[in-house]
């Protein structure tokens, strides 16, 4: 719609926002009218109309099999559009049109904003299945007529009341028509069933909806006057009412066809099951986070026990082996700590990488500088845990073997994400400027425990590749290439 309006018309951005607000609401008018809606806007030179939006009803057969958006028609070809635009009134005159052997009643509703007519809604009703209307259908049609008059007067849609139509109640979910005092004139079967779910034992017609709603809602004090007013439809609002029997979502729409409120339309939907599932998901999320938190605590306890054992070891080699185990356990604990703070099983790995780098750097205080460049991004938990261990092992190996005692240097961790969304890759490079690899060293066959862990995790769990080669200039370069899921 933005492109069509800016290409063909002289409407301003604020006018376009009004049309967007109208289009976000007009499924309601289409369903109440049992009719297709097409929004026509005059072109910049005033010689034609362009159709910028279309809506089909959920409550009846369509009048248009084809998509009308983008069609251009000259002025004069559709007299009802001309009359509605020029005179600023709803036009219903004329005989039904025949489209593919289907009679269609056409009406035109001017779209007004701040006294100006921006365009015209063509309301097209398929008359092929016309029969004597029921009480429900008569209520629908009367409500549609009131809304059409409000659109023509510029009082609907309501400014500042953007509605999410995917989440809001629809006409078929349940409808209640109130008079100016908030007394129920008509309640659809679905609407009545929703109130029965809340505990209502009688009919709704003839009762004040606000007071009945407040009585059904659980309260320990006096009647909730705010709820009474909301359910009486005095203002355009959306809210929920919950009691032991269920939860219903209500949307109140004041009807002011001639500038004075004559009543209200209340759309409602039983969302009991939806809210129950949402609560279950919240409970499951909380349980998963608590599990990660407890795993982190247990791993920290294990690390603390290993650290205590290392202090009691007489063998320097045994003490160093236990300290390496402490760092391995600590890298896994960092991942679980991060997962315990998230709503899903994905983590921002840059924070984990920085903490792993800081943890491993403790084994060479002041001698070697460790830094990170690039961005790991968001990773799945099943990737983050083994990758944290791999990063720990590679860094630990660099700090222990790349530099001699007292030697200064730098270890740089670089991360680059690339590839298509279907085949995203993460390329990690860990490079030092130390003494380099020994003559004839083969990282694929080395018996070092740390390198064995790296090979197993990278090739087995991460389905990636691992390489260790001399760095340009001096030092060693470790390259990890692993597949990852694209960031969202």
């Amino acid at each position: 719609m933005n492109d069509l309006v800016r290409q063909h018309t002289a409407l301003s951005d604020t006018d376009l926002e009004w049309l967007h607000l109208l289009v976000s609401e007009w499924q309601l008018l289409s369903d109440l009218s049992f009719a297709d809606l097409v929004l026509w806007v005059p072109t910049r030179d005033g010689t034609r109309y362009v159709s910028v939006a279309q809506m089909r009803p959920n409550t009846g057969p369509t009048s248009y099999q084809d998509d009308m958006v983008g069609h251009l028609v000259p002025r004069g070809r559709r007299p009802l559009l001309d009359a509605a635009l020029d005179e600023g009134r709803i036009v219903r005159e004329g005989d039904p049109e025949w489209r593919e052997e289907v009679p269609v009643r056409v009406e035109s509703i001017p779209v007004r904003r701040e006294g100006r007519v921006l365009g015209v809604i063509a309301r097209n009703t398929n008359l092929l299945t016309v029969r004597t209307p029921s009480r429900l259908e008569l209520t629908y049609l009367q409500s549609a007529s009131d809304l059409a008059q409000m659109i023509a007067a510029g009082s609907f849609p309501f400014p500042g009341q953007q509605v999410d139509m995917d989440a809001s109640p629809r006409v078929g979910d349940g409808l209640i028509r109130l008079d100016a005092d908030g007394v129920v004139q008509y309640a659809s079967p679905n609407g009545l069933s929703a109130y029965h779910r809340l505990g209502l034992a009688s009919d709704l017609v003839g009762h004040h909806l606000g007071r009945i709603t407040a009585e059904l809602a659980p309260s320990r004090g006096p009647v909730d006057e705010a709820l009474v007013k909301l359910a009486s439809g005095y203002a355009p609002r959306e809210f929920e009412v919950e009691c032991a029997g269920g939860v219903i979502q209500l949307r109140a729409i004041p009807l002011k066809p001639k500038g004075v409120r004559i009543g209200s339309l209340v759309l409602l939907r039983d969302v009991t099951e939806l809210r129950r599932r949402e609560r279950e998901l919240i409970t499951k999320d909380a349980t998963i986070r608590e599990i990660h938190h407890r795993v982190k605590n247990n791993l920290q306890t294990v690390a603390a026990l290993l650290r205590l054992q290392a202090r009691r070891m007489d063998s320097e080699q045994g003490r160093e082996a236990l300290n390496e185990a402490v760092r391995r356990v600590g890298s896994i604990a960092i991942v679980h700590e991060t997962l315990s703070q998230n709503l899903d099983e994905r983590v921002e790995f840059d924070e984990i990488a920085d903490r792993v780098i800081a943890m491993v750097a403790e084994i060479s205080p002041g001698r070697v500088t460790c830094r990170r460049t690039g961005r790991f991004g968001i990773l799945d938990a099943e990737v983050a845990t083994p990758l944290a261990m791999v990063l720990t092992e590679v860094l630990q190996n660099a700090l222990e073997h790349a530099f001699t005692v007292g030697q200064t240097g730098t270890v740089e961790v670089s991360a680059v994400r690339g590839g298509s969304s279907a085949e995203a890759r993460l390329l990690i490079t860990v490079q030092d400027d130390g003494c380099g690899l020994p003559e004839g060293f083969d990282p694929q066959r080395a018996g070092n425990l740390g390198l064995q862990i790296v090979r197993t995790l990278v090739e087995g769990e991460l389905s990636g590749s691992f390489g260790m080669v001399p760095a340009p200039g001096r030092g060693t370069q470790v390259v990890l290439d692993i597949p990852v899921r694209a960031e969202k």
Side-chain angles (χ1 to χ4, degrees), residues 180-222:
D181 297 323
V183 176
V184 178
Q185 293 180 312
Y186 175 79
S188 72
N190 284 346
L192 187 58
S193 295
Y195 266 82
H196 284 167
R197 185 72 177 266
L198 290 183
L200 180 69
S202 62
D203 195 1
L204 275 172
V205 176
H207 295 278
H208 192 279
L209 185 67
R211 285 195 284 271
I212 280 187
T213 304
E215 290 169 4
L216 292 172
S219 175
R220 297 180 181 176

Side-chain angles (χ1 to χ4, degrees), residues 178-183 195 208-215 223-239 241 250-254 261 263-266:
L178 309 179
D179 64 14
D181 297 323
V183 176
Y195 266 82
H208 192 279
L209 185 67
R211 285 195 284 271
I212 280 187
T213 304
E215 290 169 4
V223 173
D224 188 342
E225 293 297 333
L227 182 57
V228 172
K229 196 155 189 174
L230 284 173
S232 299
Y234 286 100
R237 293 288 186 274
E238 192 168 309
F239 57 100
V241 176
L250 299 96
R251 183 189 174 199
I253 304 169
R261 194 174 71 86
S264 303
L265 200 61
V266 177

Side-chain angles (χ1 to χ4, degrees), residues 110-126:
V111 177
R112 193 183 303 273
R113 174 182 175 269
E114 296 181 352
R116 295 167 44 244
V117 177
L118 306 182
V120 179
I121 295 176
R123 182 164 56 176
N124 305 270
T125 307
N126 187 325

Side-chain angles (χ1 to χ4, degrees), residues 20-77:
H20 274 294
L21 190 59
L22 172 66
V23 168
S24 72
E25 294 270 27
W26 71 343
Q27 180 73 64
L28 174 62
L29 177 62
S30 178
D31 290 345
L32 290 172
S33 304
F34 308 99
D36 290 74
L37 305 178
V38 180
L39 177 57
W40 296 93
V41 180
T43 57
R44 191 174 288 105
D45 58 9
T47 61
R48 295 179 296 174
Y49 298 97
V50 58
S51 58
V52 298
Q54 178 180 0
M55 179 58 67
R56 293 184 175 91
N58 294 318
T59 52
T62 184
S63 302
Y64 285 113
Q65 298 299 327
D66 299 328
D67 185 7
M68 295 297 296
V69 175
H71 282 218
L72 290 161
V73 297
R75 270 185 72 97
R77 181 175 294 180

